[in-house]
Amino acid sequence: MAAPRHRRTALERVEKFVSDTYFTDCNLRGRLFGDRCPPTSLSCFQTPRRISYDEAVVGEFRPAAVGESFGPTWETCWFKVELSIPLAWAGREVHFVWESDGEAMVWRDAQPVQGLTKEGEKTSYILTSSLKESEPHSLTLYVELACNGLFGAGKGSMIAPPDPDRRVTLNKAELVIFNRDVYELLVDLEILLDMARLLGEENQRSFQALYTANQMVNVCDVMDPSTFPAARDLAAAIFSQRNGESQHTIHAMGHCHIDSAWLWPYEETIRKCARSWVTVVRLMERNPELTFACSQAQQFEWVRSWYPGLYAQILDFVAKGQFIPVGGTWVEMDGNLPSGESMVRQFLQGQQFFQEQFGRICTEFWLPDTFGYSAQLPQLMRGCGIQRFLTQKLSWNLVNTFPYHTFFWEGIDGSRVLTHFPPGDSYGMHGLVEEVLKTVKNNKDKGCVNHSAFLFGFGDGGGGPTQKMLDRMKRMSDTDGLPRVQISTPDQLFSVLEKESSQLCTWVGELFLELHNGTYTTQAQIKKGNRECERILHDVEVLSTLAVAQDSVFQYPANQLQRLWRLLLLNQFHDVLPGSCIQLVVEDALQYYTEIRRIGAELQEEAVQSLCRDLLQPKAGSTKSTLVLNTLPWERTEVISRPGPDGTETLALVTVPSMGYALVREPLLPSQPVSVRKQVDGSITMENGVIAVCLDMMGHLTSLRLLDSERESVPEGCHANQFALFDDVPLYWDAWDVMDYHLETRKPVTTLLKPLEITLAGGLRGSVRFSLQVGKSSTLTQEIILDATCPYLRFLTQVEWKEAHKFLKVEFPVQVRSTNATYEIQFGHVQRPTHWNTSWDWARFEVWAHKWMDLSEHGFGVALLNDCKYGASAHRNVLSLSLLRAPKSPDSTADIGHHQFTYAVMPHRGSFQEAGVIQRAYNLNFPLHAVPASSAQCPAWSAFSVSSPAIVLETVKQAG
């Protein structure tokens, strides 16, 4: 038989032979399914709630029909499907086919058995591989249909706000004969066709694949299945030609990245997990070699609670080493914004869950889709039993291509972890020739390592691996011209990478994603809720622990705290805390914060009552005093507000020991009270013996001096506390991205509504207030506060925010020259450049920080502190804090409404460490607690003190 004379016509001939669009009346694809049979009965029951199977099956079902539409969005339709398999189908493979625009779950005998999602290429449930006479020919299935797609219900585009009235159409519901021999032949031809196309005309293997595929078409008579084996033998001859010993090995692992919430609410994710994982279990039953890496303890816990039968099957496959828990964290959290203690709890809660449920902890940290990775993570990983890390998100970098795929990552303390980015730059591969070739070609560590990860399965909205993905990779296991593809595990991959690691490079410091840096600011209420609840849980733990130490009767609220921590950790998922989620998710998240605040306040009151019972009980003849508690590990002297005799708030200057309390009867007198003076030109000056400030009528800071050195912080002719508004229209990812070009649209806020006026004239506290119009319809009111003895100036800010696609920042030009600024991260800090010398520098035009940032030169610096903000930048000598954004997708209401937040500016001598910037930022975030008490004599009491200011005793809690 002659070889094909023309490459293009041969390629197209094979393409048309397997096409699902052209010539399906006479090609091979048209023979995939045989006879069809409709259900004997189809009825449905619709509900706005996500209900259990037991509740659903007793619902009032009505007749339904294929072609009918159901909705609106987020509703659930339960279908009762009665089937009768024709007797003539004996010996045939029979599938139940279901095609709709929604996500479906098949239930059989009261158990979930198969997820069906057209977008995830899963539209059939295998009833039998070869129908036997003994098998039931009549059966009843239930199909639970969610009226949303794999990626929610965006109106017009994936990330648009959900269309509330989307309808889901049922396109198919039928029994079919599935011709397995046709399917196998189609997969053979698809692989050969891709080899012919993608290996290139200069590669002889390309022509071998094309010639073989062309011969197979010649051999095949689509109407005569007896011709198929000869065609398959031709393909097998090609696939069995082996590689040389030096060929790259791909470690393929099933995976299903499921966002715990994103374009759908938390509740829907529970069902996504079940639909995806039950599909994986069915695949494992048919493919004992399949492995599946699965992260997020929260999702395991959801399935354990809601689908105990499925969970029992998963436990069996975990024991067999096929269903592999990875990651070690409660959820795949944001990698930047959670506090150090929150990140520890992510690992603690996750690893404890995996140990309790599966008898092992995870050895790999698994975070493929988070928007950057803190330089503290390697130390935290090592402390939690993890020395390996997998992600791929830095392949999304907008500006610079990350130079490695396999490397050592070194954190701020020198801890190192072996890190691998799958070179295919995806966690959702489909087992295609194109993907395995990209994995080899794209690998940046050729010559150093010869192994890489390949994560296959539909992800983000769930779905997971398919049989077809597995069958493709079986043909590529060891075929000349392609890399070896072996089903593997994370441990097998990392074990071989460790053996090959002697030549690997090391990356020191943060893994900064050059994209999605709007997520440091979007959905400010979620950011504020996170910071507040981190503080609440910290304080409850400290006070409860001290109460246990002081009172043998007091019970540490371990169970309540675990529940609250798990709610907080859930909200730190990488599309919730960053604010890149729909309005339904925001509402859920804010509700969880409300619950943490409420229960946290109750637990704190119980701990304080137990810790200080004798001091809080009224005694005959006693006069009112105030018990002040300090949950931080250093002594604090601060102005507090406490209830006065007539019920009004009064100020008092108090000193409270570290992690303890003091009873305040007569407040301290400051060595120098605060003075507030209005000048002739309308400006106002404030001094407290530590700093002196001058503010103009617009609230600008025109002077900020350290009194002991007379060092001026504000450059001549400049204004600090300058608000600026920027146009904020990214290229696509609205809630996620702020682009570099937004900096070209800066407009200072200049419209004064109420000029600066004095609100507190001095003594223990001085304050002034003013109001501005921001943009077209927003207002900002600010109270600027200076307390006695305090080294920083506070800005208590209220904004009524009604903008669209605008970005509000506040700027502090300072008289400091340094090529680097310092930013607080989890349990430490990093330095980033203040210049844009290289593309790596300017790509960090918008960065993140926690409670403080600082710009210092030798002997002097200025710090900017905050109580709930994360976005920041320092370019040349301007410190900038990002305050509010106004994206419209995926939540059209994002950030609209009332906001309150505080930031502070602190000039200082020496380094930020010597000046106590770290401690002052903690003080701003962890206010002293003032509680009415009796006036009984009581010495101040301290549970802990720390001898070195370089140490922060971050957390005191009961072990476990």
Side-chain angles (χ1 to χ4, degrees), residues 183-410:
Y183 165 82
E184 298 289 359
L185 202 48
L186 284 168
V187 178
D188 288 343
L189 284 163
E190 286 174 7
I191 297 291
L192 291 169
L193 190 57
D194 279 350
M195 288 174 67
R197 274 195 303 234
L198 297 166
L199 290 177
E201 291 190 45
E202 70 283 357
N203 190 320
Q204 71 160 357
R205 191 68 169 153
S206 164
F207 283 90
Q208 291 171 351
L210 178 58
Y211 181 43
T212 300
N214 189 67
Q215 276 187 301
M216 290 169 67
V217 178
N218 290 335
V219 166
C220 258
D221 177 352
V222 299
M223 304 304 288
D224 182 5
S226 69
T227 64
F228 296 172
R232 291 219 62 207
D233 288 345
L234 290 170
I238 282 276
F239 297 141
S240 62
Q241 291 174 328
R242 304 298 178 211
N243 269 301
E245 290 184 17
S246 68
Q247 184 59 272
H248 189 87
T249 300
I250 284 174
H251 291 251
M253 305 164 220
H255 187 49
C256 179
H257 180 69
I258 303 178
D259 288 319
S260 291
W262 179 29
L263 304 175
W264 53 86
Y266 286 127
E267 264 197 0
E268 191 57 43
T269 308
I270 300 172
R271 300 200 296 189
K272 284 178 176 286
C273 293
R275 288 190 286 258
S276 302
W277 295 359
V278 77
T279 302
V280 170
V281 167
R282 292 289 85 78
L283 284 173
M284 285 179 175
E285 290 169 349
R286 293 174 175 272
N287 303 270
E289 77 281 5
L290 171 62
T291 61
F292 180 74
C294 190
S295 66
Q296 306 195 70
Q298 171 70 83
Q299 294 184 2
F300 281 96
E301 174 60 21
W302 278 334
V303 171
R304 188 180 76 86
S305 301
W306 290 84
Y307 300 90
L310 170 59
Y311 191 72
Q313 296 174 63
I314 289 170
L315 286 175
D316 288 342
F317 283 106
V318 170
K320 291 176 183 175
Q322 290 179 257
F323 206 110
I324 305 167
V326 294
T329 51
W330 189 248
V331 296
E332 287 187 14
M333 71 280 195
D334 181 78
N336 301 321
L337 308 186
S339 70
E341 190 58 33
S342 286
M343 284 195 166
V344 168
R345 301 307 174 92
Q346 288 284 356
F347 285 106
L348 187 64
Q349 290 292 329
Q351 293 285 54
Q352 282 183 342
F353 180 89
F354 292 128
Q355 181 68 51
E356 289 168 5
Q357 293 295 311
F358 310 123
R360 71 191 78 162
I361 63 170
C362 300
T363 56
E364 308 85 14
F365 183 35
W366 193 277
L367 203 57
D369 192 34
T370 288
F371 315 145
Y373 304 88
S374 165
Q376 181 57 275
L377 276 167
Q379 183 179 9
L380 298 180
M381 284 184 237
R382 295 295 293 251
C384 297
I386 292 174
Q387 300 182 37
R388 302 157 165 182
F389 175 42
L390 183 142
T391 185
Q392 62 81 50
K393 196 64 176 185
L394 265 65
S395 65
W396 285 49
N397 269 9
L398 193 63
V399 182
N400 298 286
T401 301
F402 195 79
Y404 315 119
H405 279 107
T406 306
F407 59 99
F408 285 104
W409 180 24
E410 186 174 301

Side-chain angles (χ1 to χ4, degrees), residues 19-94:
S19 170
D20 58 4
T21 305
Y22 301 101
F23 305 110
T24 54
D25 61 326
C26 60
N27 73 1
L28 185 64
R29 179 78 62 182
R31 300 286 300 161
L32 184 58
F33 295 105
D35 291 345
R36 302 168 185 269
C37 175
T40 55
S41 172
L42 182 66
S43 55
C44 76
F45 159 66
Q46 186 164 331
T47 170
R49 297 185 299 117
R50 297 173 179 90
I51 61 176
S52 69
Y53 172 88
D54 290 339
E55 186 178 347
V57 294
V58 297
E60 291 188 21
F61 284 77
R62 64 164 181 83
V66 172
E68 200 174 336
S69 293
F70 304 88
T73 312
W74 310 123
E75 294 264 315
T76 299
C77 292
W78 284 81
F79 293 84
K80 185 178 183 180
V81 188
E82 296 181 35
L83 302 168
S84 183
I85 306 173
L87 294 173
W89 290 8
R92 307 305 297 270
E93 182 170 339
V94 181

Side-chain angles (χ1 to χ4, degrees), residues 150-166:
L150 205 57
F151 291 89
K155 190 171 186 177
S157 79
M158 180 180 75
I159 64 166
D163 178 353
D165 297 314
R166 177 178 286 194

Side-chain angles (χ1 to χ4, degrees), residues 813-839:
V814 294
Q815 203 153 283
V816 176
R817 183 166 177 80
S818 176
T819 55
N820 287 289
T822 308
Y823 303 80
E824 189 196 35
I825 65 169
Q826 298 84 357
F827 299 148
H829 54 269
V830 293
Q831 290 193 325
R832 301 184 181 112
T834 58
H835 55 76
W836 293 345
N837 283 359
T838 70
S839 60

Side-chain angles (χ1 to χ4, degrees), residues 498-666:
E498 285 163 356
K499 291 174 184 171
E500 295 184 347
S501 65
S502 61
Q503 301 299 312
L504 293 178
C505 296
T506 297
W507 182 272
V508 178
E510 67 183 329
L511 295 172
F512 184 85
L513 178 64
E514 297 171 356
L515 196 72
H516 291 359
N517 33 14
T519 60
Y520 317 146
T521 306
T522 304
Q523 298 285 9
Q525 298 291 14
I526 288 181
K527 309 290 195 281
K528 182 174 183 178
N530 179 70
R531 185 81 65 87
E532 281 188 3
C533 291
E534 287 175 336
R535 169 183 60 78
I536 288 166
L537 295 181
H538 168 277
D539 286 0
V540 169
E541 288 183 336
V542 169
L543 295 168
S544 296
T545 308
L546 300 188
V548 167
Q550 292 279 76
D551 182 352
S552 59
V553 178
F554 181 79
Q555 292 289 308
Y556 188 85
N559 291 336
Q560 297 103 307
L561 278 167
Q562 181 186 68
R563 181 171 166 274
L564 297 183
W565 265 113
R566 286 182 171 184
L567 283 179
L568 179 61
L569 299 179
L570 174 58
N571 274 355
Q572 290 172 349
F573 179 75
H574 65 251
D575 278 308
V576 181
L577 180 53
S580 49
C581 51
I582 61 171
Q583 185 179 357
L584 277 175
V585 179
V586 175
E587 290 168 358
D588 284 346
L590 295 180
Q591 183 57 46
Y592 289 163
Y593 291 136
T594 298
E595 192 171 341
I596 295 169
R597 288 185 185 104
R598 179 181 60 80
I599 299 174
E602 293 171 3
L603 294 177
Q604 181 175 299
E605 184 176 356
E606 290 169 12
V608 170
Q609 290 291 335
S610 178
L611 177 63
C612 311
R613 184 174 289 114
D614 291 341
L615 304 176
L616 302 178
Q617 290 175 345
K619 296 178 178 61
S622 65
T623 57
K624 294 287 184 183
S625 60
T626 304
L627 183 71
V628 185
L629 300 104
N630 174 18
T631 59
L632 295 179
W634 46 78
E635 181 181 274
R636 297 164 67 176
T637 299
E638 294 178 20
V639 175
I640 63 162
S641 179
R642 60 174 183 166
D646 57 354
T648 58
E649 294 287 309
T650 62
L651 299 175
L653 182 64
V654 299
T655 295
V656 191
S658 64
M659 285 201 173
Y661 56 74
L663 197 65
V664 178
R665 289 178 300 281
E666 296 301 323

Side-chain angles (χ1 to χ4, degrees), residues 191 194 248-256 290-293 324 366 368 390-392 405-406 420-443 450-458 465-466 468-474 476-477 482-490 492-494 497:
I191 297 291
D194 279 350
H248 189 87
T249 300
I250 284 174
H251 291 251
M253 305 164 220
H255 187 49
C256 179
L290 171 62
T291 61
F292 180 74
I324 305 167
W366 193 277
L390 183 142
T391 185
Q392 62 81 50
H405 279 107
T406 306
H420 181 68
F421 298 174
D425 294 341
S426 172
Y427 49 75
M429 295 297 199
H430 293 175
L432 300 171
V433 171
E434 179 181 15
E435 295 166 345
V436 301
L437 291 175
K438 179 182 178 182
T439 294
V440 177
K441 182 179 179 181
N442 201 42
N443 180 23
N450 208 20
H451 296 257
S452 60
F454 185 93
L455 310 180
F456 64 94
F458 286 93
T466 67
K468 195 167 191 179
M469 294 175 191
L470 276 167
D471 292 335
R472 288 173 185 144
M473 289 183 292
K474 286 174 186 173
M476 294 188 283
S477 61
L482 299 177
R484 283 190 191 85
V485 181
Q486 65 182 44
I487 300 295
S488 185
T489 68
Q492 289 171 12
L493 168 69
F494 277 104
L497 291 179

